[in-house]
Amino acid sequence: MTERCAVTANGVRLAYEVSGPAGGPPLVLLHALGQSAGHWAPVRDALAPGRRVYALDLRGHGRSEWPGRYSLELMRDDVLGFLDALGLDRVELVGHSLGGVVAYLLAARRPHRVTRLVLEDAPAPLPREPVAPVRPEGDLDFDWAMVLAVRQELDRPPADRLAALERISAPTLVLYGGPASHLPAASFDEVTRRVPDARMVTLPYGHLIHAAAPREFAEAVTAFLTAPAPAGRQARGRSGPAEATRPVRPRPVGPGGGGPSRSGTGAG
């Protein structure tokens, strides 16, 4: 059973959905740009057994507040405030695209708060060629001003953000959508190289892996989350629990990465 709740954190009202047994290890899900907590429905139940799963609407999305002030750092601090408000000291963290960027910013800023990190087709903080997003017609369940602000930051990230990935201490699973993803393969190589204990798995279903292949996504993530904790930090390898899903080294798909997503907001 999924409950809809809300909490005030970092000065904004944040809506979230929670499922799974009370007292189970907390797992937090962060959605992509222009999406919301409900987009995790195809995989939430598969991830929930034994876990307390929190799917959050980021600021400017869904039922959360649309405050008019937007940045990736504000979203990161919102999630940290959310953890504090709910008394969640250490969590497993899964982020898709924009949510993956917020997730790795949090894991780099507060490494001790994240026990395991999953990044689903999330771009590295590398400059890319801007592509103007096209506003979808009709009413939106996200703030278009948020899209414009966040896309600028994704296209031109601060220079120190790439090195910050090296501060992440959590074992990290980097999921790449393969050649069908609009993001370049080099982006995932860079994240995997920078995060000290990261391994990459290719699930060749494009940018929306968990929606296109929910069973394969849930199996890969569950195997990673339930694998025994490593005795110590592993050095930049692709060894460990992800090997069971046969990670495949992606082939280059060219530069860029600003193609449209289904929400019309573009990459992120």
Side-chain angles (χ1 to χ4, degrees):
M1 176 176 164
T2 300
E3 302 175 56
R4 286 189 166 188
C5 308
V7 67
T8 298
N10 197 33
V12 296
R13 179 184 180 275
L14 298 175
Y16 65 98
E17 297 178 357
V18 60
S19 59
L27 171 64
V28 177
L29 308 177
L30 303 179
H31 60 76
L33 184 64
Q35 297 189 349
S36 62
H39 285 83
W40 290 107
V43 296
R44 184 171 47 211
D45 290 345
L47 299 175
R51 285 179 168 75
R52 189 70 165 168
V53 180
Y54 301 85
L56 182 64
D57 284 353
L58 297 169
R59 72 163 61 201
H61 291 82
R63 296 183 301 112
S64 285
E65 188 176 344
W66 300 12
R69 294 179 58 244
Y70 300 108
S71 74
L72 295 174
E73 289 187 349
L74 283 171
M75 291 179 175
R76 175 202 66 195
D77 293 344
D78 291 346
V79 179
L80 283 169
F82 171 81
L83 300 183
D84 291 341
L86 271 62
L88 304 175
D89 182 43
R90 289 165 56 80
V91 300
E92 298 167 332
L93 189 58
V94 177
H96 173 217
S97 197
L98 167 71
V101 176
V102 175
Y104 67 59
L105 291 179
L106 188 156
R109 183 63 177 264
R110 295 286 185 267
H112 65 283
R113 304 296 297 268
V114 181
T115 59
R116 305 243 177 171
L117 178 64
V118 178
L119 306 174
E120 178 193 357
D121 220 60
L126 296 168
R128 63 190 189 185
E129 187 67 28
V131 176
V134 178
R135 187 192 188 282
E137 296 182 1
D139 295 334
L140 304 177
D141 61 355
F142 54 90
D143 189 348
W144 187 248
M146 175 274 304
V147 173
L148 299 178
V150 168
R151 277 295 302 270
Q152 289 183 4
E153 193 174 352
L154 290 170
D155 292 339
R156 293 291 181 264
D160 62 349
R161 212 163 260 179
L162 190 61
L165 294 175
E166 299 174 12
R167 298 201 297 265
I168 295 174
S169 60
T172 300
L173 176 63
V174 177
L175 293 176
Y176 168 50
S181 172
H182 64 274
L183 296 172
S187 180
F188 304 93
D189 281 331
E190 188 65 21
V191 172
T192 306
R193 186 177 72 84
R194 293 275 182 169
V195 177
D197 185 8
R199 67 294 313 269
M200 181 165 59
V201 172
T202 297
L203 296 177
Y205 299 99
H207 189 55
L208 304 172
I209 302 171
H210 73 269
R215 180 179 61 83
E216 291 88 343
F217 176 89
E219 287 177 353
V221 173
T222 300
F224 172 71
L225 295 179
T226 58
R233 281 167 65 131
Q234 299 174 7
R236 306 187 187 281
R238 289 176 176 77
S239 61
E243 285 189 342
T245 60
R246 296 185 61 83
V248 179
R249 190 75 169 181
R251 64 179 178 83
V253 295
S261 69
R262 292 184 184 176
S263 66
T265 59

